[in-house]
Amino acid sequence: MSPDPAFVVYGQPPAALAAWPHGAVQTSPLAPGSAPLSEMAAESLDGAVVAAPPGTLERRYVLALALRALKPGGRLTALAPKDKGGSRLGKELAAFGCAVDEMGQKHQRICRTVRPASVADLDEAIEAGRPRLSETLGLWTQPGVFSWDRPDPGSLLLIQTLPPLSGRGADLGAGLGLLSRAVLVSPGVTELALVELDGRAFECAKRNVVDPRVAFHWQDARTGPELAGLDFVVMNPPFHDGGAEDRSLGQAFIRRAHGALRKGGVLWLVANRHLPYEGVLGELFGGVSLRAEGGGFKVFEARK
């Protein structure tokens, strides 16, 4: 069915709690190939359903973008778990000038409103949540992206531990491109696939990593792109899904790295100390060495 350009959905709202028409346009940055909500024309939409993100700056940014894109009289449904921003949704929409019908169901707060003719403070919320060049990081970043406002200590430990790499490689779950930049310092690296699911981080990485050796992939590293015969893989894999710890994520990244490496190729991995990745590493790789520990993190070298 062809998309309905007059209605958008952001994220994966529970279908039992919110309804949207078949063909509604997906706008979440966590859906590769989606249409960015930030690029929707002002007052062009009839309706939107938003699974509101947990971070305050990110959430207000998304709500403001949705309201900006809605026509006066357009309908917005926004919902979130009570303990992940849902308790604030109604007040935030009211602050934009919306009259809100709010209810609770299945541990979620569900807010429905009609976009008024006049809305307040949208530009301020959009400005606070938009991409920016961080003096602290020295990188382009955006609220809502992993470690968006401070260097991730796990990635820094991996960078300090990495030897000069060479040949063809990949950075799985590359985020803003911090690891990729460190890898590319080595002139022996000939190709690097930068793979990232979050479209916001992906767009920032394209600004942060300017190098002709890099191929950029806005994809879930667990399923794509097709990579084979690599000399090395580096990664700081995620271990949260929707705010809940999910150790299978990192294990899936490890399996993906193993499948992409040539025989003798090497995986460099950093993880939180409590995560039990030793089992899957030992199962798949011929040699596994703990190369560094510190600050609650551990760095492994695993050779296929």
Side-chain angles (χ1 to χ4, degrees):
M1 181 175 293
S2 61
D4 179 356
F7 203 105
V8 300
V9 60
Y10 183 96
Q12 301 295 330
L17 303 181
W20 56 91
H22 291 294
V25 176
Q26 176 60 253
T27 60
S28 169
L30 300 181
S34 63
L37 190 54
S38 60
E39 296 181 8
M40 295 289 167
E43 301 188 3
S44 63
L45 302 177
D46 295 324
V49 173
V50 171
T56 301
L57 291 177
E58 180 189 8
R59 185 175 59 254
R60 294 186 70 247
Y61 174 73
V62 171
L63 293 174
L65 289 176
L67 288 169
R68 184 180 69 177
L70 284 167
K71 302 172 184 176
R75 296 185 175 276
L76 169 64
T77 299
L79 63 164
K82 296 176 183 178
D83 59 347
K84 293 182 172 63
S87 61
R88 304 183 189 93
L89 269 178
K91 292 181 180 179
E92 289 169 342
L93 287 168
F96 289 132
C98 298
V100 183
D101 177 17
E102 184 173 358
M103 64 177 292
Q105 189 176 351
K106 295 185 177 179
H107 307 292
Q108 300 250 350
R109 297 302 295 178
I110 306 165
C111 295
R112 295 182 174 88
T113 187
V114 173
R115 200 267 205 194
S118 177
V119 284
D121 300 327
L122 295 188
D123 290 343
E124 177 186 346
I126 291 170
E127 183 62 29
R130 73 168 66 251
R132 80 283 307 273
L133 181 61
S134 166
E135 293 184 4
T136 302
L137 291 170
L139 300 171
W140 281 91
T141 185
Q142 186 173 2
V145 170
F146 171 70
S147 198
W148 76 271
D149 60 348
R150 62 183 64 87
D152 172 62
S155 294
L156 293 180
L157 180 62
L158 178 54
I159 289 170
Q160 294 163 9
T161 309
L162 278 177
L165 298 173
S166 61
R168 299 171 57 244
D171 181 355
L172 302 185
L176 298 172
L178 187 67
L179 286 179
S180 289
R181 285 163 57 101
V183 166
L184 291 164
V185 169
S186 172
V189 175
T190 57
E191 298 177 22
L192 184 68
L194 187 155
V195 187
E196 173 54 42
L197 173 63
D198 189 326
R200 299 163 301 182
F202 178 77
E203 291 300 323
C204 288
K206 288 198 293 186
R207 304 175 80 165
N208 294 328
V209 186
V210 181
D211 192 300
R213 294 172 289 175
V214 177
F216 294 91
H217 304 274
W218 181 16
Q219 290 182 254
D220 186 334
R222 294 172 293 176
T223 57
E226 291 298 325
L227 299 171
L230 299 183
D231 299 295
F232 67 87
V233 172
V234 297
M235 62 184 186
N236 180 1
F239 63 97
H240 285 92
D241 186 8
E245 183 172 310
D246 183 353
R247 299 178 180 187
S248 69
L249 283 173
Q251 294 167 351
F253 269 66
I254 291 169
R255 292 189 175 93
R256 179 72 173 138
H258 178 266
L261 288 165
R262 63 169 175 79
K263 186 174 177 57
V266 63
L267 165 65
W268 284 91
L269 160 74
V270 64
N272 289 63
R273 183 176 290 157
H274 75 280
L275 294 172
Y277 292 157
E278 289 85 346
V280 67
L281 286 168
E283 171 191 332
L284 294 173
F285 289 86
V288 180
S289 301
L290 178 65
R291 292 303 188 190
E293 285 188 277
F297 297 92
K298 53 191 176 183
V299 173
F300 291 101
E301 179 188 14
R303 192 166 296 276
K304 184 173 179 179

